[in-house]
Amino acid sequence: MAQIILTNHVNQRALERGVALSDLDKTVRFPDKVTQSQNSSSKKHLKSFGSYQVIVPIKRQGNNWITVSVWKNSSTSSKSSSKNQFFLERLINNFLLKLEKIFSRRS
């Protein structure tokens, strides 16, 4: 059976980008779509997981898959939903900062 080889770069990017290793594995083994990479000889495996899509560029080495990188995109990536997301993130962040100030005064 083919093995998926995760490079240090991929492990680091998965952690930074919030991609579960189980989603990475499913994307490589059972992609919804495979496309040729524009800049290299690798192929991109794409798989949708409800509200997001995972993209994993890979290269073949014998039977094994060597992962090159990983990231995820929102499946609903319209500009308005993106603006709303950033607005909500700022709103929540501001709320948490104010809460932190209130609790730090009490200490």
Side-chain angles (χ1 to χ4, degrees):
M1 182 176 198
Q3 288 186 341
I4 299 173
I5 299 169
L6 302 178
T7 61
N8 290 336
H9 175 80
V10 169
N11 281 319
Q12 191 175 28
R13 292 299 176 263
L15 184 64
E16 288 172 1
R17 297 170 179 168
V19 177
L21 294 181
S22 60
D23 288 350
L24 187 149
D25 183 80
K26 290 174 191 169
T27 301
V28 172
R29 293 186 192 278
F30 310 107
D32 294 335
K33 184 177 179 182
V34 176
T35 62
Q36 184 67 41
S37 180
Q38 295 174 352
N39 299 329
S40 68
S41 61
S42 64
K43 294 189 178 193
K44 290 182 190 175
H45 286 213
L46 299 91
K47 186 161 186 73
S48 293
F49 294 92
S51 63
Y52 63 95
Q53 182 182 52
V54 174
I55 299 97
V56 184
I58 64 159
K59 291 187 178 190
R60 291 297 296 228
Q61 185 177 48
N63 274 348
N64 298 326
W65 290 295
I66 299 176
T67 56
V68 177
S69 191
V70 63
W71 64 90
K72 68 180 178 180
N73 292 336
S74 172
S75 290
T76 57
S77 61
S78 69
K79 290 189 177 192
S80 62
S81 69
S82 176
K83 285 181 183 178
N84 287 338
Q85 179 184 4
F86 293 130
F87 171 75
L88 288 174
E89 286 178 19
R90 285 193 313 265
L91 184 68
I92 291 169
N93 189 38
N94 288 337
F95 174 73
L96 292 174
L97 288 172
K98 287 179 183 183
L99 264 179
E100 183 180 32
K101 286 181 183 178
I102 290 169
F103 284 113
S104 64
R105 284 187 213 151
R106 290 184 182 182
S107 300

